[in-house]
């Protein structure tokens, strides 16, 4: 019997829904055994978040500071045929629990020389976090052979409002009765098993050569140029501001509270100003940078790191 290890972390369960829908074809297969490892930080992150707690997690998320985790239930000496990492992006980076997992010795043991598939469920910005996971996997000597993404398809500023309402209240209904429901749509969840079918097909042969191309053709990756440009700008600024906060103290140090608060003010302002500007620029970009955009979209749709 072939074995799959699935490592995931979710707060509201949204990621879990996308994960389970994708893996339905594996679940229906009696020749496969799946071990689900739900990563649990020793000190859980709140859900719903208070806005200051949410901002407090920013510097550690962006700079990749690992947090302590509860012991894992998988045996790191087991020989898995495939490892699946299902994660959500936090501040254009890996969520702290998943980043912390990737930094453990057990992750190294269990993932070395193994094929890995990533499944992302987030608001709409995962490009930078996926680049970060590529770096981790390279260090762990694991082979990234597939990436499947699920996003909220509402316009960017709408989903900024609905994700904040969602993570700060925990409610998934229509915010104020007028905004669309946050998150991955029911239709996208219904389509998810087709990605699982593709992975299962390659898993059975152990040959993953064409897997990502097939996933992309099936719609597993949809990159919008405005979001790619916006993420590119923000991913330069986030590490600078994180270090600025970290200079004042570590996680939850009261000495850094003023700087964390200033981030909390600047983040929505920056989004409100930058998002429309970049959307306009990206609409015009095909006039002067269409080749560059096409090359970047192709690059972020595949699994290796830039030289
Ligand atoms: C602290 C924090 C930061 C987030 N940052 C991003 C982000 O940079 N990009 C993104 O697309 N979504 C972001 N999100 C949304 C999450 O990716 C995810 O959709 C949401 O937290 C629900 O996931 P879960 O309940 O499965 O954990 C963020 C959420 C949190 C809590």
């Amino acid at each position: 019997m072939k074995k799959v290890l699935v490592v995931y972390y979710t707060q509201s369960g949204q990621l879990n829904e996308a994960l389970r829908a994708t893996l339905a074809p594996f679940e229906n297969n009696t020749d496969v055994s799946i071990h689900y490892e739900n990563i649990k930080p020793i000190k859980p992150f709140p859900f719903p978040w208070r806005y200051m707690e949410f901002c407090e997690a920013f510097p550690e998320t962006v700079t990749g500071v690992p947090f302590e985790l509860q012991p894992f239930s998988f045996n790191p000496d087991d020989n898995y045929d495939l490892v699946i990492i299902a994660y959500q992006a936090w501040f254009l980076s890996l969520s702290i629990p998943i980043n912390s997992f990737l930094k453990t010795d057990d992750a190294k043991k269990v993932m070395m020389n193994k094929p890995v598939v990533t499944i992302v469920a987030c608001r709409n910005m995962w490009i930078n976090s996926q680049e970060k996971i590529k770096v981790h996997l390279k260090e762990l000597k694991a082979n990234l052979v597939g990436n499947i993404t699920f996003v909220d398809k509402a316009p960017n500023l709408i989903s900024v409002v609905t994700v904040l309402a969602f993570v700060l209240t925990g409610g998934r209904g229509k915010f104020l009765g007028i905004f669309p429901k946050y998150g991955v749509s029911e239709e996208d969840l219904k389509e998810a098993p087709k990605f699982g079918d593709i992975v299962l097909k390659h898993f059975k042969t152990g040959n993953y050569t064409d897997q990502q191309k097939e996933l992309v053709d099936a719609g597993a990756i949809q990159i919008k140029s405005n979001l790619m440009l916006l993420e590119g700008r923000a991913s330069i600024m986030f590490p600078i501001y994180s270090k600025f906060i970290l200079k004042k103290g570590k996680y939850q140090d009261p000495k850094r509270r003023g700087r964390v608060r200033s981030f909390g003010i600047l983040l929505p302002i920056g989004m409100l100003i930058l998002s429309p500007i970049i959307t306009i620029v990206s609409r015009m970009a095909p006039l002067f940078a269409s080749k560059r955009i096409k090359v970047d979209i192709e690059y972020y749709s595949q699994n290796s790191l830039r030289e």
Side-chain angles (χ1 to χ4, degrees):
M1 183 176 286
K2 285 182 119 185
K3 295 203 306 192
V4 182
L5 174 65
V6 180
V7 178
Y8 71 103
Y9 169 78
T10 184
Q11 290 198 297
S12 70
Q14 149 153 299
L15 176 80
N16 199 30
E17 281 175 20
L19 170 66
R20 300 288 169 145
T22 307
L23 293 188
F26 279 77
E27 293 283 353
N28 300 335
N29 201 300
T30 46
D31 305 334
V32 185
S33 95
I34 309 181
H35 183 101
Y36 286 95
E37 185 68 42
N38 183 358
I39 299 296
K40 293 199 181 105
I42 300 248
K43 199 165 162 270
F45 288 95
F47 191 85
W49 299 68
R50 271 188 283 148
Y51 191 54
M52 268 303 276
E53 291 169 326
F54 173 82
C55 297
E56 183 65 42
F58 165 74
E60 280 67 25
T61 309
V62 172
T63 55
V65 176
F67 280 41
E68 267 192 278
L69 302 175
Q70 290 187 22
F72 307 132
S73 61
F74 70 88
N75 176 357
D77 294 317
D78 267 1
N79 187 15
Y80 289 96
D81 299 283
L82 174 68
V83 179
I84 295 176
I85 308 279
Y87 75 93
Q88 58 292 87
W90 282 6
F91 302 116
L92 313 181
S93 305
L94 300 165
S95 70
I96 289 178
I98 289 295
N99 180 66
S100 306
F101 165 74
L102 291 169
K103 290 199 161 173
T104 61
D105 289 340
D106 285 352
K108 185 162 204 161
K109 248 189 198 170
V110 84
M111 289 167 76
M112 191 184 270
N113 297 324
K114 292 289 184 298
V116 175
V117 169
T118 46
I119 300 179
V120 190
C122 63
R123 183 175 71 86
N124 60 16
M125 292 194 182
W126 53 266
I127 287 177
N128 195 52
S129 56
Q130 188 64 14
E131 287 303 286
K132 290 192 172 193
I133 213 166
K134 284 181 186 172
V135 174
H136 275 290
L137 296 181
K138 193 173 173 200
E139 279 164 14
L140 296 171
K141 297 192 170 54
N143 311 317
L144 182 61
V145 295
N147 180 30
I148 300 165
T149 61
F150 294 91
V151 296
D152 183 318
K153 291 189 174 147
N156 190 41
L157 280 183
I158 302 268
S159 68
V160 168
V161 174
T162 55
V163 76
L164 280 176
F166 172 58
V167 299
L168 301 179
T169 67
R172 267 183 110 175
K174 291 184 165 194
F175 179 53
L176 300 180
I178 49 167
F179 282 92
K181 198 170 161 243
Y182 170 73
V184 177
S185 68
E186 292 296 325
E187 294 82 63
D188 285 351
L189 290 178
K190 270 195 212 121
E191 293 289 309
K194 73 182 176 195
F195 305 135
D197 281 329
I198 294 172
V199 178
L200 183 61
K201 184 181 91 183
H202 291 273
F203 174 73
K204 281 183 175 163
T205 63
N207 179 353
Y208 294 95
T209 314
D210 296 324
Q211 176 170 271
Q212 187 62 22
K213 191 184 170 306
E214 287 172 31
L215 287 171
V216 171
D217 290 345
I221 307 272
Q222 290 169 19
I223 298 177
K224 285 191 184 165
S225 55
N226 62 330
L227 298 179
M228 185 173 73
L229 294 175
L230 190 57
E231 202 172 324
R233 292 296 106 201
S235 65
I236 296 169
M237 290 183 282
F238 276 12
I240 298 172
Y241 215 88
S242 294
K243 285 182 195 131
F244 172 70
I245 296 174
L246 283 167
K247 273 196 194 130
K248 282 280 177 187
K250 291 192 175 156
Y251 187 59
Q252 290 181 332
D253 186 332
K255 286 200 218 78
R256 70 184 209 176
R257 203 157 285 155
R259 290 189 179 185
V260 171
R261 201 168 284 138
S262 69
F263 167 73
I265 295 167
L266 289 173
L267 178 71
I269 295 176
M271 295 270 231
L272 278 174
I273 296 173
L274 268 184
S275 183
I277 295 175
I278 290 199
T279 302
I280 294 168
V281 171
S282 76
R283 297 253 157 86
M284 285 158 41
L287 300 174
F288 52 87
S290 64
K291 203 164 157 223
R292 177 70 208 270
I293 290 178
K294 196 166 162 264
V295 168
D296 280 354
I297 290 179
E298 267 168 30
Y299 168 71
Y300 291 123
S301 303
Q302 57 81 56
N303 293 319
S304 37
L305 266 172
R306 259 192 191 117
E307 294 294 309

